[in-house]
Amino acid sequence: VAAVAAVAAFRITWAEKDMAEDGAGMMERVLTSVFSFFGREETEKKPRISTFYWNQEKRIVQRLEEEVSTCVEIWHSYVHPRVRSIFSFAELDVILFQLARNVNKDEDPITGGSEDCVLWHGDITVNNKMEVQAALCIVHKDQTKTVGFTNRLLSFIFADDDSYALLQNLPVTKDALQMACGNQLCVNLAHISI
């Protein structure tokens, strides 16, 4: 019960603005699509269960600012063209900088491979089942904020057309994408369960 209360204390509240209003612009429709919470029922056995730890502050080794910049520069070469029509270069930079700052220095969620989890040390949210999930906050030009699941945003930014089409065909839910490793704080792109 104490653990549940501690998790609830870190809960991020969702933006009050309804992004699905009539007349929503292209940006809102895309962000609604990216942050519409879909997943799938677990019908398969997970390949492996990763270690979950809550007290992440003691374990993160942050990148220096020049390392963050280098990492973001490398990741720009993997960004799918669909993203460039939605986010400006500056907006994309903000997202990628958040990503680089909120994972361990020696881990890469985009090019790091599929063996190990890349744990998220940034914002989190808690679903109805009190499960902790990685979240990312985007501040728009008009200072409104959109909070969504980190793994959903990563799949939108980096997944190829075939993988992204499979993700879009999953049933709509109010949760993050399921991770094959079983750890919803993992943001390794290779661990997203399709």
Side-chain angles (χ1 to χ4, degrees):
V1 175
V4 170
V7 169
F10 286 95
R11 184 176 187 153
I12 295 174
T13 57
W14 294 99
E16 295 177 19
K17 182 178 178 186
D18 181 11
M19 297 294 282
E21 295 175 355
D22 289 335
M26 175 133 176
M27 180 68 144
E28 282 109 359
R29 287 193 303 275
V30 169
L31 288 175
T32 299
S33 172
V34 170
F35 291 119
S36 66
F37 313 110
F38 65 83
R40 67 176 175 172
E41 297 290 322
E42 290 187 40
T43 57
E44 304 170 6
K45 186 176 177 183
K46 296 174 187 168
R48 69 179 176 92
I49 302 297
S50 62
T51 304
F52 173 81
Y53 57 84
W54 177 253
N55 192 0
Q56 298 179 38
E57 292 80 36
K58 294 181 182 175
R59 297 182 186 227
I60 187 169
V61 179
Q62 292 186 322
R63 291 177 170 92
L64 301 172
E65 278 306 305
E66 55 269 6
E67 292 171 321
V68 169
S69 297
T70 301
C71 202
V72 168
E73 187 176 318
I74 291 168
W75 290 342
H76 266 289
S77 65
Y78 293 95
V79 170
H80 192 279
R82 72 176 157 259
V83 176
R84 302 204 190 276
S85 65
I86 303 304
F87 294 115
S88 70
F89 189 83
E91 291 169 326
L92 184 58
D93 258 4
V94 169
I95 294 167
L96 296 179
F97 270 85
Q98 280 187 58
L99 180 62
R101 288 184 181 118
N102 287 302
V103 296
N104 271 326
K105 174 181 181 172
D106 299 328
E107 298 173 341
D108 188 334
I110 311 309
T111 64
S114 62
E115 288 300 314
D116 297 320
C117 287
V118 177
L119 295 176
W120 181 249
H121 299 274
D123 294 331
I124 59 170
T125 188
V126 180
N127 67 8
N128 294 353
K129 300 174 192 170
M130 299 307 288
E131 297 169 330
V132 180
Q133 300 177 354
L136 197 133
C137 180
I138 299 174
V139 179
H140 303 286
K141 292 175 187 174
D142 62 357
Q143 299 306 309
T144 59
K145 295 179 182 179
T146 303
V147 178
F149 299 116
T150 305
N151 62 11
R152 287 291 319 264
L153 188 57
L154 291 180
S155 66
F156 175 71
I157 294 173
F158 296 106
D160 61 26
D161 289 329
D162 294 336
S163 298
Y164 191 68
L166 289 172
L167 291 171
Q168 287 188 312
N169 289 328
L170 294 175
V172 176
T173 69
K174 294 190 180 218
D175 278 325
L177 295 171
Q178 292 298 308
M179 301 304 282
C181 60
N183 187 345
Q184 289 305 111
L185 289 181
C186 175
V187 293
N188 188 335
L189 193 61
H191 286 197
I192 295 175
S193 183
I194 298 180

